[in-house]
Amino acid sequence: MTKTHIYFMPGLAAGPEIFENIDLDKSLYELHLLQWIKPLALEETISNYAMRMCDKIKHKKCVLVGVSFGGIMVQEMSKFLDVKKIILISSVKTHHEFPKRFKVASMSKLYKLFPTKLVSNFEDYAKFFLGKSLKKRAKIYKKYLSERNETYLKWSIHNVLHWQQEEPLPNTIHIHGTKDHVFPVQNISNFIEIENGTHVMIITKAKKISEIIHTTLTT
């Protein structure tokens, strides 16, 4: 039996570790974990970046899975590839699904003031803004926030806020949690709901997400 090749793209600032709890039948699927690459410059277009990311895709008719900004990226990548399906997790299909605060941030350019050092030096800053009860959680976040290059972070934030996809792409499946506070569910249409799923449900609801991915690819 020919296996289905699935490529997984993590969210903004995250590494492939976020997919460690995904459990799919190895006799049916071959999993490939992608990592962010450094932008050529802050001015590099998301389309050009996606085209360079496509160099990592070695199989035709593959499945692209993306989380959050990774979902936006796999949609851009699919425009240069022959893909079987796109699966979005905790992401958006068009800029119309953004919350209003994203649009305000984009127009006001306030996002440029975002302190990227909070992410790039997360463990140094965490002790100042997290209480004792949250320090353990901070260690967990540190594990998953592995992409800390400031150029990459600034480039990513800009390109999330300025993404201009107007219509959903064909063959797109959208999995979204009802407690997602980054992309609130009331702004999302045509999706598979995960009850009480948050924006980090790829970690906390991996079993359910794995089941949905399998069902999606076999029915």
Side-chain angles (χ1 to χ4, degrees):
M1 180 184 293
T2 302
K3 293 184 181 181
T4 297
H5 291 271
I6 308 178
Y7 288 81
F8 290 84
M9 190 77 207
L12 195 157
E17 297 83 5
I18 68 169
F19 299 111
E20 64 185 6
N21 296 323
I22 291 294
D23 185 18
L24 293 167
D25 189 336
K26 291 180 174 58
S27 69
L28 299 176
Y29 308 105
E30 186 165 336
L31 312 187
H32 308 270
L33 304 183
L34 299 173
Q35 288 184 281
W36 294 100
I37 57 178
K38 187 176 179 180
L40 297 177
L42 286 175
E43 298 76 22
E44 182 176 16
T45 64
I46 192 171
S47 180
N48 193 76
Y49 186 100
M51 184 170 59
R52 293 197 297 123
M53 281 296 302
C54 288
D55 290 341
K56 300 177 179 290
I57 308 300
K58 306 302 182 183
H59 304 90
K60 293 183 178 180
K61 293 295 182 183
C62 63
V63 175
L64 299 180
V65 178
V67 173
S68 193
F69 182 44
I72 290 175
M73 183 53 60
V74 297
Q75 289 174 83
E76 290 297 316
M77 291 168 62
S78 74
K79 296 173 183 178
F80 302 99
L81 299 167
D82 179 16
V83 301
K84 179 179 181 180
K85 200 173 291 290
I86 303 165
I87 300 178
L88 308 180
I89 301 168
S90 308
S91 190
V92 291
K93 298 180 289 299
T94 75
H95 73 94
H96 301 294
E97 294 185 330
F98 284 151
K100 288 183 179 179
R101 64 179 179 273
F102 275 46
K103 299 169 186 176
V104 172
S106 176
M107 291 187 291
S108 67
K109 300 188 185 303
L110 287 174
Y111 67 91
K112 291 186 176 182
L113 300 178
F114 180 80
T116 53
K117 287 185 181 295
L118 288 181
V119 177
S120 58
N121 297 308
F122 183 77
E123 62 271 29
D124 294 331
Y125 286 93
K127 58 187 176 184
F128 295 111
F129 60 85
L130 293 179
K132 291 182 179 180
S133 63
L134 294 180
K135 285 184 178 179
K136 183 176 181 181
R137 188 176 299 177
K139 290 181 180 180
I140 296 173
Y141 289 161
K142 176 186 173 183
K143 173 184 176 181
Y144 296 113
L145 295 176
S146 59
E147 301 298 330
R148 306 186 184 199
N149 178 272
E150 281 198 60
T151 298
Y152 158 76
L153 291 172
K154 290 178 179 178
W155 177 89
S156 298
I157 293 168
H158 173 85
N159 280 282
V160 168
L161 295 176
H162 289 83
W163 192 52
Q164 291 299 312
Q165 183 67 30
E166 287 287 342
E167 299 290 337
L169 297 177
N171 298 318
T172 298
I173 301 297
H174 191 167
I175 306 170
H176 212 81
T178 61
K179 296 290 182 67
D180 192 312
H181 296 302
V182 176
F183 299 126
V185 71
Q186 60 263 31
N187 299 321
I188 308 298
S189 61
N190 300 320
F191 65 97
I192 299 172
E193 177 182 297
I194 292 191
E195 188 68 28
N196 295 320
T198 67
H199 197 64
V200 295
M201 67 180 186
I202 188 63
I203 300 167
T204 60
K205 303 282 187 179
K207 181 178 180 180
K208 181 63 177 177
I209 291 172
S210 298
E211 292 172 356
I212 293 173
I213 291 174
H214 173 68
T215 300
T216 294
L217 298 179
T218 54
T219 56

